[in-house]
Amino acid sequence: MSIEQQLVEAFERDSRKCPSDLDDRIVAEYRQQLMLQRGEPFMSTKRKMPKFVLLAVVFVMLCGFAYAGSKLLFTDNKEKLSVSYQTEQQLQFKQEDVTRIRGSLAEVKAQLNPGETAVVYLKDYDREVQGSPIVYGINQPAVLPLDTWKAALQERSIGEKLPDTFLGTFKLVEGMETSPYQFSFGVDGYKLLDEMKAESKKSGSGMLWRKTDAAQDLIKTYTSVYRNAANESLYLTWQIADGAPGVKALQLVPPNTIYEDIKIGGLTAHYLMDDQSLFGESPKHQDVTWLSEAGGKTVAYHVQTDSQAMTKEQLIEAAKSLF
């Protein structure tokens, strides 16, 4: 019996363990773009693989079938968007390695123009998750000043609550149509990675990078940036799904991520903290996230910070002020 047939039979036999709505969209999104945020969603276009094999792979990832080293933290489901967070052992690094990777990404970022994105090949950290390479990269956000940002949100009919301050000390200063903790790459990403791997073998270079096309995201992202007198940052990010229903995102996070469910405004929100973030001003990343649904759209809220000083309680208090 072929491995494909074994996977199919195992998928059919154990399908009761997993939600029944694993649909074509998550199949289409699985492989083409592996996005690394220390947990970033798999969002992709189709590859030429049999659908039943892809379904089996997705089943493995979401349900833990024959998939060692992972743990499903939570899944939130709404009509337009479903979000799952799962730990991944391959995202576990030593702190000195986190420092090296962050330094390499910062070096590349300094050479990008606003709005540009680059795929980065790091020879010493060439790893795979379920047969797909971890793709490192960085974007240089096109940051808009406050008045321009508010005008842009109004022009795009974004009506989510936008406070002028958080916690009395963090003031709204600017915004950007991306996430500070997200790297997404276009359909040329894997090709560029293969090219850099081949070049690295010839030249011996441990770090190479190439600019990549912008990703065609199914979710629109808007981030408002808040800062205090100490120049610490707090980010309010909306990821808005307002198109066809059933968009699914799988976020992978390091296995040492601290996770806790919390109640805010009658909803179940999720607090996550890890100290291995590759993005932001520090490797400490805290996030309070939840899904909300209204007006024919689903919004994933994120109240995040890279501040070393902010406590969990303070971040949760900031999130509560949105209700």
Side-chain angles (χ1 to χ4, degrees):
M1 182 186 297
S2 69
I3 183 61
E4 289 87 355
Q5 187 59 37
Q6 292 178 50
L7 283 170
V8 172
E9 291 193 3
F11 174 74
E12 292 175 346
R13 182 174 61 249
D14 294 324
S15 61
R16 292 187 302 274
K17 299 178 183 178
C18 207
S20 60
D21 61 344
L22 290 177
D23 58 8
D24 289 346
R25 189 174 295 273
I26 195 170
V27 174
E29 290 172 359
Y30 167 62
R31 184 157 178 154
Q32 179 72 18
Q33 291 185 45
L34 176 59
M35 293 161 56
L36 179 65
Q37 163 188 331
R38 309 307 291 161
E40 289 215 3
F42 289 88
M43 304 292 286
S44 67
T45 57
K46 293 181 179 178
R47 283 228 177 184
K48 293 182 179 179
M49 292 180 64
K51 178 179 176 180
F52 60 82
V53 176
L54 282 171
L55 279 171
V57 172
V58 172
F59 171 75
V60 165
M61 299 193 68
L62 292 185
C63 301
F65 164 72
Y67 185 43
S70 69
K71 177 183 178 182
L72 182 64
L73 297 181
F74 68 88
T75 297
D76 280 350
N77 294 289
K78 298 294 184 182
E79 180 184 0
K80 295 293 181 70
L81 178 63
S82 175
V83 177
S84 299
Y85 277 66
Q86 180 174 296
T87 63
E88 167 50 51
Q89 190 64 41
Q90 289 300 316
L91 300 184
Q92 180 71 60
F93 294 104
K94 297 179 180 179
Q95 287 303 324
E96 55 264 33
D97 295 325
V98 174
T99 299
R100 287 183 61 191
I101 297 172
R102 285 175 55 85
S104 296
L105 296 180
E107 179 182 338
V108 174
K109 182 177 180 179
Q111 301 176 66
L112 298 176
N113 295 318
E116 291 185 335
T117 296
V119 172
V120 182
Y121 175 66
L122 301 171
K123 182 180 179 181
D124 291 342
Y125 306 103
D126 187 0
R127 301 182 179 186
E128 291 188 350
V129 174
Q130 283 292 295
S132 290
I134 293 177
V135 182
Y136 303 90
I138 193 73
N139 68 332
Q140 181 66 273
V143 178
L144 300 179
L146 182 55
D147 289 343
T148 306
W149 176 239
K150 287 185 174 180
L153 293 177
Q154 185 174 10
E155 180 181 339
R156 289 158 179 73
S157 301
I158 306 300
E160 314 308 312
K161 183 178 180 181
L162 183 65
D164 291 326
T165 63
F166 275 113
L167 303 175
T169 57
F170 286 84
K171 297 182 178 180
L172 179 60
V173 293
E174 60 195 18
M176 51 191 173
E177 293 188 46
T178 186
S179 165
Y181 295 100
Q182 187 175 45
F183 155 68
S184 63
F185 54 91
V187 295
D188 62 341
Y190 279 103
K191 178 182 178 181
L192 294 173
L193 187 63
D194 290 341
E195 292 175 356
M196 287 186 286
K197 283 185 179 182
E199 182 179 337
S200 175
K201 289 181 180 180
K202 291 181 179 180
S203 66
S205 177
M207 194 271 277
L208 296 165
W209 63 277
R210 299 283 187 275
K211 292 182 183 179
T212 180
D213 297 333
Q216 299 298 314
D217 293 331
L218 297 173
I219 303 174
K220 303 179 183 69
T221 302
Y222 305 91
T223 297
S224 298
V225 183
Y226 297 76
R227 292 199 180 92
N228 63 9
N231 206 35
E232 296 174 319
S233 299
L234 188 151
Y235 308 97
L236 170 58
T237 296
W238 306 311
Q239 294 177 308
I240 301 177
D242 57 5
V247 174
K248 298 178 185 292
L250 173 62
Q251 303 265 127
L252 298 182
V253 298
N256 64 335
T257 297
I258 295 173
Y259 164 70
E260 179 183 339
D261 280 341
I262 54 178
K263 292 293 184 180
I264 300 180
L267 296 176
T268 298
H270 314 280
Y271 170 81
L272 301 104
M273 189 280 286
D274 78 86
D275 60 0
Q276 295 191 352
S277 174
L278 302 184
F279 305 101
E281 295 301 316
S282 82
K284 182 179 179 181
H285 171 229
Q286 298 183 84
D287 183 10
V288 176
T289 180
W290 67 93
L291 292 186
S292 179
E293 195 169 44
K297 64 183 178 183
T298 300
V299 181
Y301 283 81
H302 297 269
V303 180
Q304 305 174 92
T305 186
D306 48 33
S307 168
Q308 296 273 24
M310 184 174 292
T311 66
K312 176 183 74 172
E313 291 74 20
Q314 287 174 318
L315 191 65
I316 292 173
E317 186 64 28
K320 286 181 177 179
S321 69
L322 292 171
F323 288 84

